[in-house]
Amino acid sequence: MNQSDLQPKLNQANQYFNQQEFSKASQLYLQLINENPQLKSNLSIRLAHCLILEANWQQISGNLIQGINYLSTSGWLNSLFQGKPVNAESKPIPWYTYPAIEFLEDKIKPDSIVFEFGGGNSTLWWASKAKQVISIESDQSWYDQIKQKMPDNVQLNLEIDEKKYADFINQYPDQYFDVVIVDGINRNNCLETSLNKLKHNGLLIFDNTDRYEYDKSINLLLSLGFKKIDFYGLIPSYTYKNCTSIFFKSTEILETTNLPSNKQSCLGKSCMQITNPRIGNIYNKSINDAALKNKKILYSHHWSINNQRQPILSENEIYITSTPQQKENVINLLHIGSEYEPQKILKQHQNDWQPDLFIAKVDSFFNVIPRNIQALNCPKVLILGDTQHGNQPLEKMIQYAKSEKYDFYITDHKRHHLWYYHLAGLKNLYWLPGLFLNPLIDNSESQNFEDPSISPNLFKDKVIFVGQASKFHPRRKAILEYLQKEIPNFWYGRLSQKDSLKAYSQALISLNISLNGDLNLRFFEIISSGGFLLTDRLSEESGMNLLFSEGEEYETFSNVQQLVDKVKYFLQYPELVEQYKQKAYQKYLNNYTPKHLAEQLQNIMEGKPVNDIFTVKTINRIKYLSGQGYSQSRIQIYQIIQDFHKYSEKLKIFVDNDNQFCHIEDFLDLPRVKIYLSANSNYLKNELYQYLLTSKTLHAIELLNDKYNNSYDILIVSKLILDIFLQGSKSEFLIISQDQSGLSNIRDFIENNYNGFTINVTQYIDFLAIHVNRENVTKNNVTGNLKLTNTNYLITPDWQSDEETLTEELYNLISTLAHNSPLSKGDSEESNPNIEREDIITLVIDTTGITEEDANLFLSGIAMNLMMEEELDLESILNFTFIDNLEESQWQKILPKITAKITLNSENQDIVNNKLFDDVISIMADGNNYVIMPDWSKDEQDLFNTFSEILINISSEEKATLLIDTNNSNEEEVGLFVSEVVMTLMLEKGIELSEGINVNFVKFTPTQWHNLEGFIKEKIISG
């Protein structure tokens, strides 16, 4: 067949294929191959796909149980037709094996940063799951084709050169990526360049590992301690089996509690999920709340009855409140804050009505307070409401709960506070979130808003937040004001309860910004209205992840920038938002409607099985730390921390190693807390460590070496010392301590030496809360804030130099200083009265070019290694203090207090080249230092000969330091003497000292000489 006849037939065959007329297409492809055998290699696969697709798949699926034909529901047939990796809904998926996709899709955290060698549909798939995707592509035409499809969180790059392609990842910091995918060209080299860029708990995906060319990479990974899982199986748009391998070091990815029966996959449902679906919750055989509906129920709460669903639980209920509604079943108390006896109130207003059940909701403002409840002859339930507002809310709630004899204690708001009720000895504790939810009615779309000023579709496709954003919610207010600038279609404000539900149902994205990472009612109001919930990340003990699946039914953000990024992302994909809405709403309907929760309440009262998630069995602290005790001070400290947390985007707390009245696990209720412990802390005992691992809160704890130089918001210490008040750069912070005796002297010292310090003290039963304000303290006396002793060494690292080299150099330096300290022999200020704070070595570290927090992290890692490898407790041997970006006047005040500058190979030259350092004594960190300790009373010629011999020996050194002891001598005369020796050697013997040799005249104390022993290469004692 000539070319003029061939092309039209080929076009016709392709047209049949695209029109899904597969029988016609396959006949024409077969004819073309028979007539043109040279086309077989190009057309045979297309013909094979045609033959598969021409089968009557509708009839095939019709003869199976609906939905179980995996070739169809996974999208494999669709991908075969489209010739690219897509699912049944034509949404992009990676070109990995299907088992690998199934494994990965629910393992990726939404804040992940992903690097991908080889871009395409997989890039779009990763972008829907991760915070950021950086992809490198080598094919120009493919790059031009896909770049316009990429969302804002994708950075797509082009590099044709194979070596530059493999090296592209090197521009990013080490341990930067959560996921690295090797799936493009030059894979073996790509794998090698990416190893240092993957986080320790990261995931590496290597596709097509069944090719023997990649054995080299696999063996390398295994030799480095990576674990491997091979996923063999079918791949999209082809008929053959491939292998996608996943490598990891941390087994965190395998530690999942997700049930296979709950799996929600982009590749469709499994056979068992379809043929044997989960209906309702574990104990929900059928929804039948007739038992409660027929009971007489007495409620006590300050909320308006108009904001409650009608009826709440029963057709026969009376509501006691402090709000002035006039209704037949409402009893109005005189004023907010009323204490009353329910039995007496009933006699006055409903004498012939006695309840079968009493439910009182009490919260932190104690607006309505039932007393003498034992007079009621019925079961009594206390709903433990809000305990984060007001003065000492949790403490007061515990006091009230213990003062009255309730039968059951249920929180509908603060699951994580059940721990404290447990410690306080309360029994029959439960969690029923959304118990009093007043959900949207079915025909709400046809109803107008209660507020006539709201147009019918005001919130349609908007991003909204409904709630308070007043001066009492400064963090929330700041976030909302920022969003208003960043997001064009954004609205926030207050609405009535019913209007807010209708707004959620209309909005594209509904935000929840909690105060303390708690599961509030807004969470349920949004989901029960069919809305899409985007919430700040809540605490692990809030119970959020026990109810709904993050990444499938709702989304979270950890900071303001992530919130903005996620809003912008989901605005681009309204169809994806719709999937979230449907999944979350369906789970709500199946498990958490008022009827479901009413049944759980009925089961609680009748002693029937209750879903474990609503009991204290699933609270990790109770499982692992049940032996701990209750104390009033414990609750009071937690309340202080909780109150600070409300107003903080990030709360940094330091806890020292000696106090016995603090429980760090309590603070981990609060998701924006970071706790800093001393490197040798004894807090992390076995049971606490196990709890931290299980509750996924270990990341919120950091071990460090330098106690008081990290700008903390709160410090909890056993002993008050001046350093604590001078810590960091915060203008305002809080100190919690039991050391009442130490405060007076420190306060006097500060008042006498500093201007602008304000110290306010609140006295609790057995501790002090000390509020420190340094907002107006001037920074003219920089040395006043430094922790200096008699021996102070200065280093000026170049923080931009090679991290591995700098780490090794600082490790050796600190190790040498520590080993040559008298305290390394086991002495301390307490154990050896001859050793005082002034004898301790201080290392002054310039942090120009790096944040103080990052420098602290850097040194903490070194300190941890020294503690484990050399058993050195640096905290009691060395002091570390930080300086940065000092002005010349500040250097002039500090340098006279510096014993010596230790010269590093990786040094900040911009600082050390300053003329101010010309007269500073320098010693080499690498130990190339020589010492002469002459007896200056001896014969001058003998001294001359000694000095000549030493200078001749070191003259050829490229870099060295000569330290000449000038004790018992005139330094000026010594200088002239040494100059004469140098000149004589040069003129008579032609020997010159290299420019890299520094001569220093020093008057060190015996202790300072001892501290330098590890740096001295040779010491000559003449005379």
Side-chain angles (χ1 to χ4, degrees), residues 111-167:
D111 58 354
S112 296
I113 301 177
V114 176
F115 188 92
E116 181 187 47
F117 289 100
N121 271 20
S122 59
T123 313
L124 296 171
W125 186 80
W126 282 106
S128 69
K129 296 183 172 299
K131 176 184 177 182
Q132 184 184 18
V133 180
I134 299 167
S135 185
I136 179 75
E137 178 52 47
S138 61
D139 187 293
Q140 176 76 60
S141 60
W142 180 238
Y143 170 84
D144 293 337
Q145 184 178 338
I146 64 175
K147 67 179 180 181
Q148 301 302 325
K149 300 177 182 179
M150 296 300 159
D152 289 345
N153 66 331
V154 170
Q155 177 188 322
L156 184 65
N157 306 277
L158 175 68
E159 182 51 68
I160 299 173
D161 182 89
E162 283 196 10
K163 184 178 186 310
K164 292 180 180 177
Y165 176 93
D167 290 339

Side-chain angles (χ1 to χ4, degrees), residues 433-453:
L435 178 62
F436 293 101
L437 177 70
N438 188 6
L440 198 65
I441 56 175
D442 294 337
N443 61 347
S444 62
E445 287 190 18
S446 62
Q447 296 185 1
N448 293 326
F449 285 96
E450 287 183 332
D451 184 345
S453 68

